[in-house]
Amino acid sequence: MASLFEMDIRQLKGVGEKRAQLYRRLGAPTVGDLLRLYPRAYEDWGLYTPVAQTELHQVGVVRGTVLHKPTEHRVKGGKTLYKVTVTDGESDLRLTFFNNRYIPLLLKPGQDYVFRGKVGGGLLVREMASPAFLPAEKAKAILPVYPATQGLTSRMIGSAVQNALALLPGTLHDPLPQALREKYGLAGLGEALRGIHFPQSPKELAQAKRRLVFEEFLVLQLGLMGLKSGRRQENLHPVHPGFPESFAGLLPFKLTGAQRRVITEALGDMAGPYPMNRLVQGDVGSGKTAVAAALCWAMAQTGAQSALMAPTEILASQHFASLSALLGPAGVECALFTGSMPAAQRREQQARLAAGDIHLAIGTHALISEKVGFQDLGLVITDEQHRFGVNQRSALAEKGASPHLLVMSATPIPRTLALMVYGDLDISVLDELPPGRQEVRTYLIDPAKRQRAFRYVQKHLDEGRQGYLVCPLIEADGTPLMSVETYSALVGKAFPGVPVGILHGKLKNREKERAMEEFAQGRTRLLVATTVVEVGVDVPNAAVMVIENAERYGLSQLHQLRGRIGRGQYPSSCILITDAQNEETLSRLRMFRDTRDGFQIADADLKLRGPGDFFGQRQHGLPQLKIADMANDLEVLQKAQRCAQRLFAGDALQGPEYRALRGEVRRLFSRPGSGQVVL
Ligand code: ADP
Ligand code: MG
């Protein structure tokens, strides 16, 4: 296989310079790549229906005998029409073809063909216009459909693949050695490639797919693990080992056991032989900021600097406010870097940062800007990491000499996925909420009861609390979906005299900040918002939340939203409003209503909606998967992960039988900037 990846696609019969260019565009510059260009779908040519039973206006597959020589008819515009009738022995099917002068040569009277196309006609006569067809003996049960581009049809790709398959040597260096294939019940590579392109049966296809999916996951996982060891440089910023009691003394509260444990784990890394690469997963409100503060404090004690990057300006300002209040008095100089800050202030801060007078730089991705330079960056923390790509993470890290890396995520990612996305990180879990947290009671109601929900909100307001009202849209778009615009008018009427703020993504950063600021200080009592409030906003006095069109959100997103309340000592309520009737949707929402555990919700979300929610728009920066699908192939993913861990733990991978596998891993991670994989 390795040599096929070096063989230029032009060496295939029928592929010249022009087509080669098209293949390159499809990501297949070599014969090996072509074999890994898997069909996007399959057409079933095996399940013929009798003509009489074909469904009108649907794609039908019919096997029939040609009754006569196709007849030629001239039609308007100088076009030629060919007509031919075929029969399945019971009923006739009339076929027409436009401008295809090969038809009389291709369809021979008395011969059998399989036709596939949209069925037209009426009750008495069935017709197909320009159906695809194959001689009956060639119409295999299942035919591949490739991602065609202009100038390169699926059929052309199919025949090129067939030529490529013929080049496969009898004994292939299979990346998965025999013993491993036997252990996991996987097909050999040659068999799998033939099976994925030209399966003889659904079963063969399934076996081929399973093997290729397994291999893809295994290669990806091994690559991630290899990246992790590739990053093992010397620890240039060791901190003092042991739990920092004097830091704990700065806090207005007592750290939870989980916080102490995670701080100890992280500082253990930072005091160890290699730089830290750690993910802290903690449910909303579990107190990740205090963990970050502890590490920044410890870094400042050594004289080196830290950077904390948050995805939004609101969140960055909030971190700046709480961290500078906490660490400032202890001599840790903090500064905020955002895109909207005045140029003069930015220049002044940049100078102080470069001189080492600032110990902790907090900001948005403005921190990545070229002009921001550190004197000695020893620690990089990214908050709500799933919003950043791996590249942004490393862009910040490159401002220091192999700094420690901490990634904080509030999305409880199911472990399986965490291993995939963050496979190159060690993982700590903050699995305990600070004491005294009030339960958030969750209700699910239909819009007819909205007034009752509002009375409930009023009750919280009367007790001095504040509330969030969340809508899916910013402006009304003519659909029944609630918008911030419509809703704030509604709220104005329902709560006369109550100051109401507005927060959404279209506001300027300064306006967003002001809205947040006013709400945090209690000057506005209600905040009508989109999911902008989802990310990390912390107002402990907010104790009620109404979420309109709750069916529009993923469970993990709802969980993030709900995490905005119940952060203080007040009993809190979350009211989901939906007019959904669909039983599946309702049971999903009921499950959310009855569950608090973020991990359980994340698992359910993964099963229901797939991994998209966790990955965002492919922001994870991982190599793209060709055949495997994290949600649908979860079981194979888990097996491949266990296999990768086993291989990585021993020195099996170094053996000669794994040479081909090591090659696949290197090929996958060979893009520039993807880091060095050490296997
Ligand atoms: P998240 O993990 O969602 O980022 P935060 O760090 O914002 O959580 O913490 C949520 C709230 O809990 C904050 O108001 C913070 O001051 C408070 N908090 C954090 N740790 C503790 C603790 N151990 N005891 C009491 N309150 C805490
Ligand atoms: Mg947070």
Side-chain angles (χ1 to χ4, degrees):
M1 203 54 199
S3 56
L4 285 185
F5 276 106
E6 272 128 48
M7 191 190 266
D8 193 285
I9 189 105
R10 277 170 303 189
Q11 288 181 261
L12 280 183
K13 217 171 70 195
V15 181
E17 184 49 50
K18 229 173 105 201
R19 279 207 190 151
Q21 216 160 11
L22 298 172
Y23 278 110
R24 277 196 286 272
R25 207 178 303 155
L26 284 179
T30 71
V31 174
D33 290 316
L34 179 66
L35 287 172
R36 298 288 194 176
L37 185 71
Y38 303 125
R40 150 175 86 67
Y42 298 86
E43 278 178 355
D44 201 332
W45 284 74
L47 291 175
Y48 331 123
T49 8
V51 172
Q53 283 173 33
T54 53
E55 273 188 65
L56 278 175
H57 315 302
Q58 302 291 319
V59 171
V61 182
V62 169
R63 181 183 169 136
T65 315
V66 172
L67 286 176
H68 58 84
K69 247 181 91 157
T71 55
E72 197 178 309
H73 309 259
R74 296 246 152 222
V75 291
K76 267 193 304 206
K79 290 195 175 146
T80 317
L81 187 72
Y82 295 91
K83 292 189 180 180
V84 64
T85 307
V86 302
T87 179
D88 64 3
E90 300 265 323
S91 333
D92 292 353
L93 175 69
R94 283 194 199 154
L95 309 175
T96 47
F97 296 89
F98 292 94
N99 259 6
N100 185 345
R101 61 197 164 91
Y102 297 108
I103 289 297
L105 297 170
L106 291 170
L107 290 176
K108 302 209 176 80
Q111 306 254 11
D112 275 14
Y113 299 85
V114 177
F115 302 91
R116 191 173 190 284
K118 205 163 184 187
V119 180
L123 276 182
L124 297 177
V125 190
R126 290 288 202 258
E127 299 172 354
M128 278 185 190
S130 303
F133 60 89
L134 290 167
E137 73 279 3
K138 275 203 184 163
K140 302 255 173 54
I142 307 167
L143 284 184
V145 181
Y146 294 95
T149 59
Q150 188 140 47
L152 204 54
T153 64
S154 174
R155 285 273 179 92
M156 289 177 196
I157 299 173
S159 63
V161 168
Q162 210 138 34
N163 291 339
L165 282 172
L167 292 177
L168 277 183
T171 49
L172 212 55
H173 287 292
D174 193 325
L176 307 182
Q178 173 136 18
L180 190 143
R181 291 198 317 262
E182 273 167 17
K183 181 168 163 144
Y184 292 93
L186 301 167
L189 178 59
E191 203 185 321
L193 287 174
R194 279 180 210 105
I196 201 74
H197 290 290
F198 296 101
Q200 301 293 324
S201 67
K203 186 163 166 237
E204 199 182 290
L205 174 59
Q207 276 165 352
K209 183 158 183 243
R210 196 179 121 81
R211 136 83 206 217
L212 295 171
V213 167
F214 186 97
E215 180 187 324
E216 188 163 44
F217 279 143
L218 182 67
V219 167
L220 180 57
Q221 193 71 64
L222 285 172
L224 287 169
M225 294 164 123
L227 269 185
K228 182 154 129 187
S229 29
R231 232 185 264 136
R232 292 245 147 133
Q233 286 138 335
E234 199 190 337
N235 180 1
L236 299 177
H237 299 95
V239 300
H240 188 71
F243 187 83
E245 293 299 346
S246 45
F247 162 78
L250 300 171
L251 293 166
F253 45 72
K254 198 163 157 279
L255 288 167
T256 64
Q259 282 170 318
R260 290 184 73 97
R261 192 190 70 238
V262 173
I263 290 171
T264 307
E265 277 168 7
L267 289 177
D269 292 352
M270 291 166 72
Y274 311 110
M276 168 172 71
N277 268 300
R278 189 169 282 277
L279 167 72
V280 172
Q281 276 205 60
D283 215 338
V284 281
S286 58
K288 289 182 289 295
T289 317
V291 172
L295 308 191
C296 296
W297 180 88
M299 192 42 56
Q301 304 312 301
T302 72
Q305 296 164 296
S306 306
L308 170 60
M309 183 162 69
T312 64
E313 241 171 77
I314 293 181
L315 205 53
S317 327
Q318 208 162 69
H319 279 320
F320 174 68
S322 56
L323 291 176
S324 55
L326 178 71
L327 299 175
V332 179
E333 201 56 38
C334 304
L336 178 66
F337 291 81
T338 63
S340 64
M341 131 185 133
Q345 187 192 350
R346 182 179 325 159
R347 273 196 301 274
E348 190 256 346
Q349 287 190 172
Q350 277 164 358
R352 285 172 56 221
L353 189 66
D357 296 338
I358 291 170
H359 307 111
L360 171 55
I362 299 165
T364 56
H365 49 259
L367 282 175
I368 304 176
S369 147
E370 262 172 53
K371 303 217 177 77
V372 176
F374 292 78
Q375 189 204 37
D376 182 16
L377 178 61
L379 168 66
V380 166
I381 302 181
T382 47
D383 192 13
E384 318 289 344
Q385 165 68 25
H386 63 294
R387 307 224 157 194
F388 290 116
V390 174
N391 295 340
Q392 285 168 307
R393 203 204 285 167
S394 42
L396 185 51
E398 271 157 26
K399 292 181 181 287
S402 49
H404 300 288
L405 225 68
L406 185 82
V407 171
M408 303 199 293
S409 171
T411 313
I413 300 171
R415 184 162 173 80
T416 322
L417 287 186
L419 274 174
M420 203 40 101
V421 191
Y422 300 117
D424 56 335
L425 303 177
D426 298 307
I427 299 180
S428 292
V429 182
L430 268 181
D431 50 5
E432 184 185 342
L433 291 180
R437 281 292 153 76
Q438 291 295 326
E439 198 193 340
V440 179
R441 306 192 66 149
T442 305
Y443 306 87
L444 183 62
I445 64 171
D446 63 57
K449 302 211 180 82
R450 183 175 293 121
Q451 287 311 321
R452 247 210 263 170
F454 280 178
R455 283 203 290 281
Y456 215 77
V457 172
Q458 185 65 53
K459 204 180 93 192
H460 282 286
L461 291 177
D462 292 343
E463 286 162 8
R465 303 289 81 75
Q466 292 166 274
Y468 297 101
L469 307 165
V470 182
C471 307
L473 300 180
I474 299 176
E475 288 156 22
D477 68 349
T479 66
L481 293 180
M482 271 301 176
S483 68
V484 169
E485 198 181 62
T486 321
Y487 213 63
S488 46
L490 197 70
V491 167
K493 273 198 216 105
F495 304 94
V498 174
V500 178
I502 281 179
L503 181 65
H504 57 72
K506 274 202 190 158
L507 293 179
K508 295 216 180 67
N509 280 329
R510 218 169 324 118
E511 297 169 317
K512 270 191 238 167
E513 256 168 59
R514 205 178 53 217
M516 218 37 245
E517 182 78 18
E518 287 180 335
F519 187 66
Q521 294 181 351
R523 275 183 275 142
T524 48
R525 308 281 312 284
L526 290 174
L527 190 62
V528 182
T530 56
T531 49
V532 188
V533 288
E534 169 198 337
V535 189
V537 170
D538 184 27
V539 180
N541 192 45
V544 61
M545 175 176 278
V546 177
I547 303 175
E548 292 282 349
N549 304 108
E551 76 285 351
R552 300 279 300 176
Y553 304 97
L555 294 185
S556 294
Q557 205 173 12
L558 286 175
H559 183 66
Q560 290 290 318
L561 284 168
R562 184 169 60 179
R564 300 304 111 216
I565 55 173
R567 298 172 79 83
Q569 69 267 42
Y570 313 108
S572 302
S573 326
C574 178
I575 305 166
L576 309 173
I577 301 187
T578 182
D579 57 3
Q581 303 290 323
N582 180 305
E583 191 44 44
E584 213 172 291
T585 308
L586 287 172
S587 73
R588 187 166 73 87
L589 291 172
R590 278 186 214 117
M591 179 263 163
F592 173 76
R593 176 192 64 194
D594 302 333
T595 314
R596 271 205 85 183
D597 180 0
F599 281 92
Q600 213 176 319
I601 290 171
D603 268 329
D605 219 13
L606 176 66
K607 290 205 187 83
L608 289 165
R609 292 172 44 117
D613 279 11
F614 300 102
F615 291 148
Q617 296 94 35
R618 207 179 289 137
Q619 280 176 340
H620 47 82
L622 292 179
Q624 201 182 340
L625 293 170
K626 285 191 163 156
I627 187 167
D629 170 338
M630 302 235 187
N632 293 323
D633 301 319
L634 215 51
E635 186 229 306
V636 183
L637 170 57
Q638 276 157 351
K639 287 216 170 86
Q641 269 172 352
R642 276 197 292 278
C643 175
Q645 278 155 352
R646 218 170 36 80
L647 287 178
F648 212 81
D651 44 15
L653 263 185
Q654 302 318 317
E657 72 275 27
Y658 280 103
R659 220 180 53 145
L661 183 59
R662 293 199 304 269
E664 291 294 324
V665 175
R666 290 210 185 87
R667 183 175 14 260
L668 187 70
F669 284 83
S670 62
R671 296 166 315 155
S674 79
Q676 195 200 355
V677 176
V678 173
L679 290 178

